[in-house]
Amino acid sequence: MDDLNSKAKRGIGVQIVRQFLIQGVNAVGGVLMARMLGPAEFGLYAVATFVVSATAMLGDFGLAPSFIQRREELTDRDLQIGFTLQQVLITGVVITLWFAAPYLVELYPDPLPETVWLIRALSFGLYLTAWRAMSAIQLERHLQFGPMARADLAETVSFQVIAVGLVLSGYGVWSFVWATLIRGGLGAFLLYLVAPWPVRFAWDWSAVRSILRYGVPFQFQSLCNSLGNWAVPTFVASAVGVQAVGYLTWSFGQGKRPLMLVDAVARVAYPHFSRAQGDRGLVEYLISRYLTVLLLVAGWWFVLLLTTGAPAVELVFTAKWLPAVPALVLVALAVAPDMASWLLSVSLNATGGLGYVTRLVLIRSLIVFPLSIAFAHLFGFNGAAIAYLLASALMVPYCLLGFGRSFARRISLDMVWVLVPVLAAIAAGFGVQGVASGLWARTIGGTLAVTFAYAIAAYVSCPDWVRKQIRSVLLSRRFARQVGTSGSQEEMIAKNDAGG
């Protein structure tokens, strides 16, 4: 278990570095794309991507989580059977999308002719996902995230360079399609180099039934979780139009930036909790540590967008995106409860609470789907952001209760202190907005004020173990520079962790 925890810590570190690099690349590419394209083109791509991904989810039976959660080691034949199963399912999805695309497009008001071919072209990218998956599963099971991080970074750079280059060449929304396909091919190739497996078609009904026994309930949960998100590109799009979907797609994409940290942690947390599922005390300990880091990041992001969102958007993305700022702030506020419910759901799934989480996710979707539609008619496209906020907040207490009332009370009390840096940073951010003039001064001054106030207040109000961990990290890095041996560094970290 000590070795597992060490691997998890290293994996999280690798994934966080990966996310910072990827977010930097995506931020630059996103700014360029937002300045060159309009909300309607973003909305068109969002609709096409939604149709493909939603249909693909209907044909996916949870192969990856089934293999990752399995206690026994995977064999080459397991991978071959899983690959064959995926090929069968994806072929059915691609054929369905090819013939159904013209009819699916008619669900939207004033559909553009190229939407049909956008859907068909994007559907072929699903094959690349299957080729990538077998290598990724092997690495994730053993918490080997370095090769995956490098492959993900290469994919991101290729996507942004190709997409921006094609937009400059006049390809419009088709730039996204070509960039998506090339990115998928590159990622599959790079991962196969570091985690090869004998590519064969194989079939065994008993093995398939074993995969589906866990994968189908897990995939049903994923479908339920996605149902609420489907309201925007379907019924909300019909109510407010494709341009409003472009605003929503942009605001959700920018507002949910901290959830990229969740993506980094997700690859580590699920196998980490799966291996620790026999020790209830360890699971609770891990939840408190994971949750503290996630909520600190989410709080800082919300305050930053609340206080400096408008001048930053006008400065970076131009004034044409200002109508989306209210939705952007609402989405940022929803990130904290969304992170918390996600972490608790992952830990419950990994420790035997799959059925409980599935019921919660289904209830959440049944709430957010009709609320998004109703609020869109009442408040315009901002209504979808309000529905997302309410649904995320409602999920947290019920996820906590999945571990029992005493656990819910302890974790809730442990997290109250996060409000202190949030309130301090809000005061600092609005204080700068009140005295600064000009977009540059309001954006940079507000960002610095929020960040410094948040960091200082967090350090002063946080529990002792957080301060000890910070000192441990700083001490271990200084010690490593002086000694230069990884073994001594591990000893120093272990001693400080024991003290904390």
Side-chain angles (χ1 to χ4, degrees), residues 193-210:
L193 290 180
V194 295
W197 56 281
V199 181
R200 304 273 195 287
F201 288 110
W203 194 262
D204 184 298
W205 280 111
S206 63
V208 170
R209 284 193 294 270
S210 176

Side-chain angles (χ1 to χ4, degrees), residues 177-226:
V177 177
W178 288 112
T180 299
L181 296 176
I182 294 172
R183 174 184 63 185
L186 178 63
F189 173 74
L190 292 176
L191 283 185
Y192 185 81
L193 290 180
V194 295
W197 56 281
V199 181
R200 304 273 195 287
F201 288 110
W203 194 262
D204 184 298
W205 280 111
S206 63
V208 170
R209 284 193 294 270
S210 176
I211 293 170
L212 299 181
R213 191 176 299 116
Y214 182 86
V216 169
F218 192 97
Q219 191 61 23
F220 178 71
Q221 184 185 122
S222 298
L223 284 169
C224 294
N225 195 33
S226 299

